[in-house]
């Protein structure tokens, strides 16, 4: 509990030090990178592409639309390579610190509708694999930093833990879906400030 309080105090201190009202701003970015499945045992890895467009208040709080697509490949089971793929579209709330500096860190929270299309083995692995379609609400916690090369052009680097972007058939019920373990993304790309 003490650690969470210290982290919360640091966030408030950083934001308070940069909360002097400034102009409304818009942001647009396109990032590419990779996604890693550290926790499920499938060991999926692959590429990801993300687009973000948002508007920021004078106090560094922004709301935007974010779209993301990922295709990953994992371990082989029954002679077939597993795949954990998804597309998502949703909203992301970001809080930016040191917004007038050359380097501006930020934290974000995304809520999106995701459509997962994992390659699933049927009939307990005896049938041919099929691409199954699952959809549902997903979330992500994102940490990022923008390095500005000028007034309007910069480079964005971000990392995120993402929950429920990939859904699979539940082991308990053939008609139910379960969230796959969280995926970790690392993305880099150009960003515009206007």
């Amino acid at each position: 509990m003490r650690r969470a309080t210290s982290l919360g105090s640091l966030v408030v201190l950083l934001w308070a030090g940069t909360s002097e009202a400034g102009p409304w701003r818009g942001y647009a970015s396109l990032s590419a990178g990779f996604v890693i499945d550290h926790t499920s045992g499938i060991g999926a890895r692959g590429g990801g592409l993300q687009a973000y467009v948002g508007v920021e208040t004078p106090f560094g709080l922004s709301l935007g639309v974010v779209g993301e697509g990922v295709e990953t490949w994992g371990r082989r089971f029954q002679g077939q390579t597993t795949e954990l793929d998804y597309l998502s579209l949703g909203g992301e709330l970001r809080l930016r610190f040191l917004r007038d500096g050359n380097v501006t860190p930020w934290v974000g929270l995304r809520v999106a509708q995701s459509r997962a299309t994992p390659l699933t083995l049927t009939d307990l692995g005896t049938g041919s694999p099929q691409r199954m379609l699952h959809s549902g609400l997903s979330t992500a916690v994102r940490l990022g930093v923008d390095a500005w090369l000028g007034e309007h052009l910069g480079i964005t680097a971000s990392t995120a833990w993402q929950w429920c972007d990939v859904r699979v058939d539940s082991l308990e019920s053939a008609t139910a879906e379960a969230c796959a373990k969280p995926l970790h993304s690392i993305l880099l790309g150009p960003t515009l400030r206007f």
Side-chain angles (χ1 to χ4, degrees):
M1 182 69 184
R2 184 179 185 129
R3 188 177 207 187
T5 303
S6 297
L7 182 59
S9 298
L10 177 62
V11 168
V12 169
L13 181 65
L14 279 172
W15 183 74
T18 62
S19 64
E20 183 177 316
W24 284 77
R25 293 180 175 157
Y27 291 88
S29 64
L30 182 63
S31 302
F34 54 94
V35 175
I36 306 167
D37 164 30
H38 295 289
T39 57
S40 76
I42 294 173
R45 288 167 170 57
L49 185 64
Q50 182 189 88
Y52 171 84
V53 176
V55 63
E56 184 179 77
T57 69
F59 297 100
L61 187 64
S62 64
L63 180 62
V65 175
V66 63
E68 189 168 271
V70 167
E71 185 156 343
T72 69
W73 297 269
R75 294 197 175 129
R76 293 178 67 83
F77 292 103
Q78 304 286 333
Q80 299 293 329
T81 301
T82 56
E83 296 181 29
L84 301 176
D85 307 330
Y86 71 88
L87 294 171
S88 69
L89 180 64
E92 186 164 294
L93 188 66
R94 291 184 179 179
L95 181 59
R96 189 174 308 275
F97 308 101
L98 309 172
R99 67 190 298 255
D100 291 323
N102 290 333
V103 176
T104 56
W106 51 267
V107 295
L109 175 64
R110 184 201 76 189
V111 178
Q113 181 70 26
S114 288
R115 294 172 49 92
T117 55
L119 189 63
T120 305
L121 297 176
T122 58
D123 302 325
L124 299 175
T126 60
S128 61
Q130 294 181 357
R131 182 120 2 230
M132 305 300 286
L133 174 63
H134 305 283
S135 64
L137 200 62
S138 64
T139 59
V141 174
R142 193 176 313 278
L143 300 173
V145 63
D146 298 332
W148 297 102
L149 308 173
E151 186 177 344
H152 301 291
L153 180 64
I155 297 173
T156 294
S158 67
T159 186
W161 283 99
Q162 304 174 189
W163 290 267
C164 289
D165 275 310
V166 176
R167 292 173 185 261
V168 294
D169 292 328
S170 173
L171 297 176
E172 288 80 31
S173 168
T175 60
E177 297 177 356
C179 292
K181 299 280 180 137
L183 296 175
H184 177 208
S185 66
I186 300 172
L187 303 169
L188 180 70
T191 188
L192 294 175
R193 176 171 60 188
F194 46 92

